[in-house]
Amino acid sequence: MSSDILLFIVYCVAVTALAWPLGLFMARLFSGERTLLTPVLGPIERLFYRAGGIDPEAGQNWARYAAACLAFNAVGWLILYAILRLQGHLPLNPQGFGGLAPDLAFNTAVSFVTNTNWQAYGGETTLSYLSQMVGLTVQNFVSAATGIAVGAAVIRGFAGRASDGSDARNLGNFWVDLTRAVLYLLLPLSILLTLFLVWQGVPQNLSAYVDATTLEGARQTIAQGPAAAQIAIKQLGTNGGGFFNANSAVPYENPTPLSNFAEMAAILLIPAAFTFMFGRLVRDMRQGVAIFAAMGILFLGALALTYGAESEGNALFANLPVEQAAGNMEGKEVRFGVGESALWATATTAASNGSVNSMHDSFTPLGALAPMLLMQVGEVVFGGVGSGFYGMLAFVVLTVFLAGLMVGRTPEYLGRKIETKEVKLAVIAFLVMPLGVLVFGAAAATLPVALASLQDKGPHGLSEILYAYSSATGNNGSAFAGFGAATPFHDTLLGIAMLLGRYVFIVPMLAIAGSLAAKKKVAPSAGTFPTDGPLFVTLLVAVVLILGGLTFFPALALGPIAEHTAMLAGETF
């Protein structure tokens, strides 16, 4: 256990130490300032603008920014859907895979365009190299860049400094933000991580699959392919979709302790950096640190619950000759153990990543409860690249609104009044998760065509449904492995949930940013509630937990909590 605690400390220190300078770099990048990479990448950036007919100096208001974002993502979905449907007729398909069925192609295309990377298929048994590279890997970059771009635009709205409101028509330029996110941020980091993973033994080739004979004399097919590059961006872009079906539990994706640590650190690197980018852009680093602290407290609480539950083992094995000194090892790689598995599970669901190095379906009920709740609150505990931060800003709006009620004056944040319009838009964004999880989940829990996908009955069966629709709506992508999602019903409904979770969140947050940018900044007074201290951090954490608890506790009580109670009583279903 002491080694696990040391791992957690080293991990948190490493992520913080890397995220701080990266956040400062991102602040310069999205402010249009010169960076260390500008001499090399600046000419390439300008070439893209000329080729696309883009004026990098032309700003966009929130509506035009949102329209550009939605149009780009719609075209990306159409292209990816076509690739998946037609892959049997396209090159770089040495395995001879045919095209995906319409419902599975719809689900997969939506999944990767929305940065969810939900996988209702087996990567090495379903997709060609062309589909993996030109289809999925490209979307890994541009879907992550979309979240980063929107995050930068929302921050500009919150940070707008013009006293005359002239910033109202300039949240930035989506095409410029998208280009810079890919060219200066995601691509260089991915190249570095790819080279590191290749060094650690992850394959990066276009070779045909290899047939091998096992020690028992059986025949086994060993998959090959350009895995390292996709794994790098799947982690850095909080995408999560693995090259192989079992994701980072596969030695080919995650062969060594160093690769495991690097991949875990990459999950939270850019989301954590957003808090420091925010502090620099609003010219008050204490504001960014306060949000980082709130995220960190929630993260450590979830990690403590997951690790504690998994370390205790399974009470149903207490009277059996099963050694549980190492904790609940079902579904976990022996080389990682409980500590690294719990840390990865917490990080991947705190961020909208969804990659796994263990099977969450085999976690104890309370061990799976924390990852599930992290997704249900909107994955704002660091969250996806960009999306997690603007998701947390929705909670900030609600928090300062409640604080304003307590002090008896109009709430303010960063010198701008939070009024009815902003609160209503924040509530719309918040209601996306209950719609996708509870309403869609209720349909999946009652219709016979949906219930056929469950592996288990009773509370765990309900947990499978809750986890799936929390993951889809939260744009996470992880799943309980026993849930058979590859059916027309679930492919379609989960796809719709992903669209809601992505775009019905983006539009209200851009609208809030546009509204705040148009407002004049007011000077702080004796009645202004400070938003950079311990009291605000505590209140923000409480709002996230209370709103999440009030919304999802009844469903969780019937799922993982009921299952945990039954486990302690020695009952099975």
Side-chain angles (χ1 to χ4, degrees):
M1 179 174 290
S2 59
S3 61
D4 290 335
I5 300 301
L6 178 61
L7 168 68
F8 300 157
I9 294 173
V10 171
Y11 177 80
C12 293
V13 170
V15 169
T16 304
L18 293 171
W20 186 290
L22 180 61
L24 301 183
F25 169 81
M26 290 165 59
R28 295 182 62 85
L29 174 64
F30 292 105
S31 296
E33 300 176 26
R34 186 178 180 86
T35 71
L36 291 174
L37 298 178
T38 301
V40 177
L41 300 178
I44 301 174
E45 179 187 2
R46 292 189 291 272
L47 180 63
F48 278 123
Y49 297 152
R50 286 196 296 270
I54 298 167
D55 179 6
E57 302 300 323
Q60 297 171 322
N61 63 14
W62 79 264
R64 290 183 60 196
Y65 200 102
C69 172
L70 295 176
F72 176 77
N73 281 256
V75 172
W77 178 85
L78 286 171
I79 293 173
L80 180 54
Y81 179 81
I83 290 173
L84 296 175
R85 292 282 288 134
L86 299 173
Q87 76 169 1
H89 304 284
L90 299 175
L92 290 177
N93 187 10
Q95 307 91 340
F97 296 143
L100 272 62
D103 58 287
L104 183 56
F106 165 79
N107 180 279
T108 304
V110 166
S111 173
F112 279 80
V113 168
T114 59
N115 201 237
T116 307
N117 297 61
W118 173 275
Q119 293 178 281
Y121 61 87
E124 70 270 39
T125 61
T126 309
L127 297 183
S128 68
Y129 290 160
L130 183 79
S131 295
Q132 293 270 23
M133 294 188 299
V134 179
L136 304 190
T137 304
V138 168
Q139 281 301 322
N140 279 347
F141 277 95
V142 296
S143 67
T146 295
I148 293 171
V150 173
V154 171
I155 291 174
R156 291 190 192 104
F158 276 72
R161 305 183 193 97
S163 60
D164 60 358
S166 60
D167 279 352
R169 296 190 59 81
N170 187 8
L171 291 185
N173 186 302
F174 173 75
W175 308 109
V176 173
D177 290 339
L178 183 78
T179 301
R180 288 176 177 168
V182 173
L183 192 60
Y184 288 87
L185 185 61
L186 294 174
L187 192 57
L189 289 175
S190 295
I191 290 173
L192 292 175
L193 184 54
T194 297
L195 293 175
F196 178 83
L197 293 177
V198 171
W199 173 53
Q200 291 297 298
V202 179
Q204 178 70 21
N205 58 54
L206 295 175
S207 303
Y209 287 9
V210 177
D211 287 331
T213 302
T214 68
L215 294 175
E216 294 82 6
R219 179 183 174 185
Q220 180 179 353
T221 299
I222 301 176
Q224 301 290 309
Q230 183 168 324
I231 295 162
I233 186 57
K234 89 169 185 182
Q235 300 302 86
L236 288 164
T238 60
N239 296 283
F243 190 91
F244 301 102
N245 190 35
N247 213 275
S248 288
V250 177
Y252 259 9
E253 285 206 17
N254 189 9
T256 69
L258 283 177
S259 71
N260 191 68
F261 188 88
E263 289 182 30
M264 283 195 297
I267 293 175
L268 294 187
L269 177 59
I270 297 177
F274 253 92
T275 62
F276 305 116
M277 170 186 168
F278 176 75
R280 173 57 66 89
L281 290 180
V282 302
R283 296 183 178 178
D284 185 354
M285 187 57 73
R286 294 172 300 175
Q287 301 289 344
V289 171
I291 296 178
F292 178 84
M295 291 178 170
I297 290 170
L298 290 165
F299 177 83
L300 292 175
L303 175 60
L305 178 57
T306 301
Y307 179 68
E310 295 305 298
S311 298
E312 288 296 319
N314 191 326
L316 294 175
F317 294 163
N319 296 321
L320 298 176
V322 177
E323 175 60 52
Q324 293 199 86
N328 175 38
M329 286 298 296
E330 181 187 346
K332 298 178 178 65
E333 292 285 292
V334 175
R335 59 198 176 112
F336 298 141
V338 166
E340 292 184 71
S341 300
L343 179 57
W344 190 301
T346 305
T348 197
T349 49
S352 64
N353 185 270
S355 65
V356 296
N357 73 347
S358 59
M359 297 300 104
H360 295 184
D361 195 21
S362 296
F363 277 35
T364 61
L366 289 187
L369 172 65
M372 199 182 304
L373 187 58
L374 285 172
M375 294 186 293
Q376 289 170 346
V377 297
E379 296 196 285
V380 298
V381 184
F382 298 109
V385 287
S387 60
F389 189 79
Y390 62 70
M392 181 58 92
L393 285 180
F395 279 100
V396 168
V397 169
L398 296 175
T399 301
V400 296
F401 170 70
L402 295 174
L405 294 179
M406 288 189 288
V407 299
R409 58 171 290 163
T410 302
E412 299 169 7
Y413 187 60
L414 302 177
R416 285 169 173 76
K417 292 187 180 296
I418 302 296
E419 299 175 299
T420 303
K421 180 180 179 180
E422 291 79 33
V423 175
K424 287 181 177 178
L425 288 168
V427 170
I428 290 173
F430 172 79
L431 290 176
V432 170
M433 285 304 298
L435 174 61
V437 178
L438 300 180
V439 177
F440 287 12
T446 54
L447 297 176
V449 66
L451 291 172
S453 296
L454 296 183
Q455 172 181 267
D456 301 286
K457 59 183 179 179
H460 193 78
L462 178 59
S463 295
E464 291 178 5
I465 295 172
L466 290 173
Y467 196 102
Y469 283 88
S470 299
S471 178
T473 313
N475 299 135
N476 182 270
S478 64
F480 275 10
F483 184 73
T487 66
F489 177 89
H490 288 299
D491 279 342
T492 304
L493 196 60
L494 288 167
I496 296 172
M498 295 174 208
L499 293 170
L500 290 174
R502 182 69 160 178
Y503 303 112
V504 183
F505 215 112
I506 282 178
V507 174
M509 290 310 300
L510 285 173
I512 291 174
S515 177
L516 291 178
K519 296 183 178 183
K520 294 182 179 180
K521 190 170 183 178
V522 296
S525 66
T528 300
F529 183 76
T531 57
D532 57 2
L535 180 59
F536 176 75
V537 171
T538 303
L539 187 58
L540 179 57
V541 169
V543 168
V544 172
L545 291 176
I546 291 172
L547 288 180
L550 290 175
T551 305
F552 296 105
F553 181 78
L556 294 173
L558 296 174
I561 296 176
E563 185 183 2
H564 179 74
T565 303
M567 183 184 74
L568 294 179
E571 298 177 3
T572 59
F573 294 90

